[in-house]
Amino acid sequence: MVGVITQPDRPAHRGQRLTPPPVKQRALEAGLPVLQPPRLRDAGWPERLREFGADVAVVIAFGQILPRAVLDVPTRGSINVHASLLPRYRGAAPIAWAIMRGETETGITTIQMDEGMDTGAMLLRVPTPIGPDETAGDLSRRLAALGADVLIDTLVRLDTLTPIPQLHEDATLAPRLKKTDGDLDWQRPARDLVNVVRGCHPWPGALTANAAGKLSVWRAAAVTAGRRESPGTLVDHGGELAISTGDGGFLPLEVQLENKRRMSWPDYLRGTRLTAGARFS
């Protein structure tokens, strides 16, 4: 490796101290030169990158669409590691959206980069199942390890791999998550809402509210609802209180009131004294 390009230091933590990105910290520990361009599209950056004399660039979660002038700087082009089975889930949040849309399989794809968003020809494509209870955080950690292995395999085999163009008509998008993507709409089926909880863990979190205040739901299960109630209503489910949805019951397992610690659903119900018939927005 001849150099590392990463984002600029940014304010972070409670005191908003200027904090370097983790990639920069690891690179400096390894004695590698680091560049932190605000925008690689700005004039002069292709020339600065060319000074490295790199054979190939590896791009992972860089957060900018790179122009052709930058992509073509390495003599053998630029390779991206993407956390989905392309062309599905192009974009900034492929792991979260795959879970929220109920996928049972995802994977890692390495591509030859072009100017588009995750549109380049595929080099290696390695699938992995998504566990039924796996959260976006859990899956991110697994795919980080798998992605490192697939990247190394790609670089070792770069001379023999045949790039395969993506079928753009099969593409789906995975845009950057917004806080509102975690809002729980009780008109939807319970299974879909459980997927929202999993996909929005750890950020932005799944959110609802009632008379006791805003409530984040961190773990939940779909159950067979008893008698039909208006979506968003607490109903009895075999001695437990679940929330009625557009189809089935939603049973929170771990929740968190605003500015409070996480707690079990039974502890929350005891503290708020909610009973069957209470409504969630």
Side-chain angles (χ1 to χ4, degrees), residues 212-273:
K214 293 180 180 179
L215 184 70
S216 295
V217 181
W218 295 109
R219 290 192 303 120
V223 296
T224 303
R227 61 191 181 90
R228 176 73 174 177
E229 294 284 356
S230 176
T233 304
L234 268 183
V235 296
D236 184 82
H237 171 72
E240 295 180 300
L241 289 178
I243 303 173
S244 178
T245 72
D247 182 14
F250 177 93
L251 180 63
L253 300 174
E254 184 181 28
V255 298
Q256 184 177 19
L257 277 165
E258 195 171 21
N259 299 319
K260 301 291 184 180
R261 63 174 178 81
R262 296 189 189 189
M263 66 187 78
S264 70
W265 177 240
D267 284 348
Y268 166 78
L269 292 175
R270 281 191 291 270
T272 56
R273 299 184 180 180

Side-chain angles (χ1 to χ4, degrees), residues 104-125:
T104 58
E105 184 181 63
T106 185
I108 293 291
T109 308
T110 53
I111 62 172
Q112 284 186 330
M113 296 182 70
D114 59 20
E115 298 98 322
M117 184 178 66
D118 306 321
T119 55
M122 299 179 293
L123 297 169
L124 284 179
R125 196 168 179 265

Side-chain angles (χ1 to χ4, degrees), residues 84 100 103 167 225 280:
S84 81
M100 286 195 285
E103 302 286 359
L167 296 176
F280 285 79

Side-chain angles (χ1 to χ4, degrees), residues 135-157:
T135 67
D138 297 332
L139 185 55
S140 294
R141 287 185 287 273
R142 278 209 304 116
L143 289 180
L146 178 61
D149 291 339
V150 177
L151 169 61
I152 291 170
D153 195 17
T154 299
L155 293 174
V156 169
R157 298 167 56 190

Side-chain angles (χ1 to χ4, degrees), residues 160-175:
T160 58
L161 290 172
T162 301
I164 300 174
Q166 296 186 43
L167 296 176
H168 300 304
E169 59 270 27
D170 293 341
T172 60
L173 298 181

Side-chain angles (χ1 to χ4, degrees), residues 155-194:
L155 293 174
V156 169
R157 298 167 56 190
L158 196 55
D159 288 334
T160 58
L161 290 172
T162 301
I164 300 174
Q166 296 186 43
L167 296 176
H168 300 304
E169 59 270 27
D170 293 341
T172 60
L173 298 181
R176 190 179 305 277
L177 286 179
K178 308 181 299 294
K179 285 190 175 182
T180 53
D181 289 323
D183 291 350
L184 294 172
D185 177 2
W186 301 113
Q187 302 290 337
R188 298 180 64 187
R191 183 68 256 174
D192 290 356
L193 295 175
V194 170

